[in-house]
Amino acid sequence: MSSIQPRQWIKATALFLGIILALSIAFPAQALVCRTLGDHRSVCIVRIERSAKYHWEYRVALRLEGVDQPLERYNCRDRLRVQTNGTRVSFDEDGVGDLICRLVK
């Protein structure tokens, strides 16, 4: 029987380790949290970030019925949504603001 040459053994080991390394890399998940609300057919949270200074505030990018919305701040303590132009709007009853605050509790 023929034995494996040292050079072939090194190549085979490097190939095996390369395959194992390539398969072990974890890619970030792109899962969206989507829900159906009363007045909107589909509400998806595209991106959500918690404020470092105010733990009750979240910066959220939404997709309402397939249309991306601008980034807005949601204040779960005072139940307010701050739009990009600075306008403060109270949460609607069982609306998007309530959904966000329930999900992050």
Side-chain angles (χ1 to χ4, degrees):
M1 295 216 191
S2 66
S3 63
I4 298 177
Q5 300 291 327
R7 187 173 285 217
Q8 291 174 334
W9 184 82
I10 292 172
K11 286 182 181 178
T13 304
L15 179 64
F16 177 73
L17 291 176
I19 291 172
I20 295 298
L21 180 65
L23 294 176
S24 66
I25 295 173
F27 295 101
Q30 294 294 327
L32 297 176
V33 175
C34 294
R35 298 286 191 268
T36 302
L37 293 178
D39 57 344
H40 296 290
R41 289 182 293 179
S42 174
V43 176
C44 297
I45 298 174
V46 177
R47 190 177 90 195
I48 187 165
E49 296 174 0
R50 183 177 176 183
S51 171
K53 188 173 182 181
Y54 304 108
H55 62 86
W56 58 85
E57 282 190 358
Y58 297 87
R59 288 180 294 281
V60 181
L62 295 174
R63 183 174 296 148
L64 297 176
E65 297 181 8
V67 178
D68 287 342
Q69 303 297 312
L71 190 72
E72 294 181 332
R73 281 192 341 229
Y74 285 82
N75 182 330
C76 293
R77 184 182 68 176
D78 299 331
R79 299 179 44 82
L80 293 173
R81 173 174 52 104
V82 181
Q83 298 174 336
T84 54
N85 62 4
T87 305
R88 295 172 177 248
V89 180
S90 296
F91 287 176
D92 294 333
E93 185 73 26
D94 293 326
V96 177
D98 287 333
L99 170 69
I100 291 167
C101 293
R102 266 194 323 258
L103 286 175
V104 295
K105 254 188 191 178

